[in-house]
Amino acid sequence: MDEQKWAAEAAEKIRHKMHLVAERNRHKIPYTTQDGVFDDCSGDKICWWTNGFWGGMMWQLYHATKEEMYREIALENEEKLDANLMLAGGMDHDSGFRWLPTAVADYKVTGSKKAFNRGLLAANDMAGRFNPAGRFIRAWNDGGDGSKAGWAIIDCMMNLPLLYWAWEETNDPRYLQIATLHADTAMKYFIREDGSSNHIVAFDPATGEYVDTFGGQGYAQGSSWTRGQAWALYGFILSYLHTKKESYLNTAKRVANYFISNIPENGLIPVDFRQPADCTLEDSTASAIASCGLLEIAKALEQKGELGTTESRIYQNAAIKLLTALYEQRCNWDDNCDNLLEKCTAAFHDETHEFSIIYGDYYFIEAVWKLTGEELFLW
């Protein structure tokens, strides 16, 4: 299939369905669906880490269509997140996931001073999680007992662009220093020789010394949780785009090469590349996220000239394989069902698997928009 023709076809189907979905879910902040209907993480679930992706979808759709409804929904999402921004216990390393697709997107599109303020407050909170002894950004809170004070996770690579944005807007080098020090630590302790990634690395919070790794949301310690691979793949190429440090590009390629070498023939991604052979569990979100990263690697290499252009096709073709597999086999195009992607999995050892998750839809739209040239770059 011609990739431009396919992308245009997919984009048109997204625009058609999402107009209906957005209209009937105007005042929600969805995470998943129940019987095809979006739930709502407003109110007592406002601190949930995925609560920026619905707003991000709306900004992507507004950028592509200029329909006022999408802007209005995105602004409501952004304003609701103020309750999270003012709750210290609800803040964590995932500030990028919440405020880049909402406040920072708003600022990029409209120049809103209120949106800028929200983005900078979120960036400052994230910077405050930096542990100078270990040179890492602390992941989760732990209720004050210190049990997770030394924990860092690969997901944070995707949140670093919030700090890069703050640096680029304020010219304050502290944001850049914190982001790059964390990225350097992630290169050293998270990415294995074969290009696979750990999910959780524990450090001694007082001395910064390495302690251990944990399987986290993957199958087991030493396994290869696919969404973690996707966070690493996309996260390192984003760090390269903001800093132009070749080591980040090379790391992104190493993770991408490992990911590509493990893509099944049917293009559908498991929850963990090292899960038992008889386990068929999938995670469509890992596929969508990795596609975005692969397309950015391809673009970065193409800009390097003739040799890079030849190499870039490897990553471009891998992204197209993943996206067409999602489009043909894992997208629900029923107008009466709110989600796009199906068979998404949050964690291998959760009780529930293979359901819809909002960031799967977000990254699928972002990837398609990258191909059609309609993307609002949020990272």
Side-chain angles (χ1 to χ4, degrees):
M1 179 184 293
D2 176 80
E3 65 186 55
Q4 290 303 316
K5 182 179 179 181
W6 167 82
E9 180 182 298
E12 183 55 38
K13 294 178 78 168
I14 289 169
R15 283 190 288 268
H16 168 77
K17 174 167 179 168
M18 287 310 303
H19 181 88
L20 301 172
V21 171
E23 201 165 37
R24 62 177 176 253
N25 290 281
R26 274 179 172 265
H27 305 297
K28 294 180 179 180
I29 301 181
Y31 169 65
T32 187
T33 54
Q34 300 293 330
D35 299 320
V37 178
F38 273 143
D39 62 356
D40 185 10
C41 287
S42 304
D44 60 359
K45 295 181 180 178
I46 197 59
C47 296
W48 187 233
W49 73 273
T50 69
N51 281 353
F53 287 107
W54 175 244
M57 288 168 62
M58 297 301 102
W59 280 118
Q60 294 291 1
L61 288 158
Y62 176 75
H63 189 254
T65 68
K66 297 301 183 286
E67 289 188 45
E68 184 66 12
M69 172 182 67
Y70 296 127
R71 188 185 71 86
E72 292 171 355
I73 296 171
L75 291 176
E76 182 177 329
N77 190 157
E78 178 185 338
E79 290 167 1
K80 284 182 176 180
L81 283 175
D82 283 353
N84 183 178
L85 195 58
M86 292 295 102
L87 187 62
M91 299 296 286
D92 53 34
H93 68 284
D94 280 328
S95 290
F97 283 140
R98 280 168 284 183
W99 283 280
L100 279 169
T102 55
V104 174
D106 181 8
Y107 173 69
K108 287 182 176 181
V109 174
T110 71
S112 165
K113 291 182 179 179
K114 286 185 178 180
F116 176 85
N117 184 60
R118 290 177 174 120
L120 198 59
L121 285 173
N124 287 338
D125 188 274
M126 186 177 173
R129 303 184 71 83
F130 183 70
N131 181 313
R135 298 186 173 189
F136 67 88
I137 294 170
R138 174 179 174 169
W140 298 296
N141 304 321
D142 54 20
D145 64 2
S147 60
K148 296 179 181 177
W151 284 23
I153 63 174
I154 195 61
D155 317 39
C156 196
M157 287 301 304
M158 280 297 300
N159 287 276
L160 295 184
L162 180 62
L163 299 180
Y164 293 130
W165 168 80
W167 162 57
E168 291 157 2
E169 287 295 325
T170 66
N171 293 315
D172 187 334
R174 294 176 301 163
Y175 299 110
L176 173 66
Q177 290 159 1
I178 290 171
T180 54
L181 286 170
H182 179 91
D184 292 345
T185 297
M187 275 197 302
K188 181 176 180 180
Y189 291 102
F190 281 85
I191 308 305
R192 307 177 186 127
E193 287 188 13
D194 65 355
S196 64
S197 174
N198 292 306
H199 180 204
I200 302 171
V201 176
F203 301 91
D204 183 314
T207 67
E209 293 180 8
Y210 165 83
V211 176
D212 204 356
T213 64
F214 304 117
Q217 289 163 253
Y219 171 61
Q221 184 180 38
S223 67
S224 182
W225 177 48
T226 55
R227 180 150 52 90
Q229 302 296 142
W231 292 143
L233 190 164
Y234 199 1
F236 275 106
I237 188 59
L238 289 173
S239 279
Y240 167 75
L241 294 179
H242 287 284
T243 68
K244 300 306 178 186
K245 287 183 66 172
E246 288 292 323
S247 58
Y248 297 156
L249 174 59
N250 292 334
T251 301
K253 287 168 57 180
R254 188 149 59 94
V255 177
N257 292 342
Y258 169 83
F259 196 102
I260 292 170
S261 70
N262 283 278
I263 297 175
E265 186 62 33
N266 63 7
L268 303 173
I269 300 301
V271 179
D272 195 302
F273 283 134
R274 296 171 185 169
Q275 65 193 36
D278 60 351
C279 178
T280 61
L281 292 175
E282 295 177 27
D283 182 14
S284 295
T285 73
S287 186
I289 297 161
S291 298
C292 291
L294 290 166
L295 290 172
E296 288 299 333
I297 293 173
K299 188 190 304 181
L301 290 173
E302 191 167 355
Q303 291 171 353
K304 284 181 169 292
E306 186 175 345
L307 182 61
T309 301
T310 303
E311 187 182 11
S312 74
R313 288 307 310 180
I314 297 171
Y315 302 102
Q316 181 90 4
N317 290 342
I320 297 301
K321 178 173 182 175
L322 294 174
L323 290 170
T324 53
L326 291 176
Y327 175 77
E328 294 171 356
Q329 302 176 66
R330 293 295 178 261
C331 278
N332 187 328
W333 297 111
D334 184 347
D335 290 347
N336 297 309
C337 182
D338 286 341
N339 62 282
L340 287 173
L341 290 193
E342 301 191 321
K343 294 208 171 187
C344 306
T345 297
F348 187 90
H349 292 289
D350 281 356
E351 291 184 10
T352 306
H353 304 89
E354 298 187 332
F355 50 97
S356 67
I357 302 180
I358 194 67
Y359 49 83
D361 289 2
Y362 171 81
Y363 284 107
F364 181 74
I365 292 173
E366 182 183 285
V368 172
W369 267 214
K370 286 181 189 293
L371 293 171
T372 61
E374 297 170 287
E375 179 194 17
L376 172 64
F377 190 76
L378 301 183
W379 310 103

